[in-house]
Amino acid sequence: MIRFPFIAMIRALLFDMGGTLDGDGEHWLDRFASAYASCGVMLSREALREAFDEAERHAASDERIRSADLETMVECHLGWQWEHLDRDASAAGLDRFDRADRLRLQGDIVKHFTQPIRRLAVRNVALLGDLQSRGFVLGVVSNGCGNVEVLCQDLGFAPFLSVVVDSRRIGIQKPDPAIYEHAAARLGLPPSAIMMIGDSFDRDVRPA
């Protein structure tokens, strides 16, 4: 049997949020692509990427997001995407929808986006409970929009977390190693006793 002595030294586990603790490594861009397709809206990858990036810029500074739960956050993000796509509605294929159809469609896309996350959250709540029962201290470090703590409450993760670090709240973003130093200081543990778990090697694993 292969043994890993360093595992015995690990006392805390930090999780990324978007794409990790709220999913199975699937990026939000890919989730939106799947949600659009499920609702019959076929966008080119380039068009969706541009709309998504524009929405991300809004989310990084909009005050509503700081208190938004999952559905509210996705509704806002989708609205910003459509504002961008409406600049060339025919190219995006949105010009065939009237106002009533758009409202229905937006609701369907939000549902297709959020329902898998909520199903995964139930599983991951059980995972966190199991890890905590094994003696691990748990936390989240995320490049968030100011509402990471709200999302952790909304998805049921909060009772198991000793620290939640939201990049917007502290003014430090991954991959800056300082965000992990901040988390370690809040936990009162040496970095060598902490493992970071995330979906990005360059943003999560390497700098941690």
Side-chain angles (χ1 to χ4, degrees), residues 40-62:
V41 180
M42 305 308 294
L43 297 174
S44 71
R45 186 72 175 185
E46 181 182 3
L48 179 55
R49 172 89 254 183
E50 290 178 359
F52 179 87
D53 289 345
E54 179 69 14
E56 286 286 273
R57 285 188 282 272
H58 280 282
S61 58
D62 190 274

Side-chain angles (χ1 to χ4, degrees), residues 36 76 135 141 146 185 195 203:
Y36 276 112
C76 289
V141 176
M195 180 181 288
R203 287 194 305 275

Side-chain angles (χ1 to χ4, degrees), residues 27-29 32 46-66 73 76-85 87 143-146 168 173:
H27 192 277
W28 269 43
L29 176 64
F32 272 115
E46 181 182 3
L48 179 55
R49 172 89 254 183
E50 290 178 359
F52 179 87
D53 289 345
E54 179 69 14
E56 286 286 273
R57 285 188 282 272
H58 280 282
S61 58
D62 190 274
E63 286 302 309
R64 289 173 295 174
I65 295 295
R66 293 170 70 94
M73 184 177 187
C76 289
H77 206 287
L78 186 61
W80 291 321
Q81 289 178 35
W82 279 35
E83 286 177 9
H84 180 83
L85 292 169
R87 295 169 194 166
N143 279 352
C145 299
R168 182 173 175 183
Q173 282 195 324

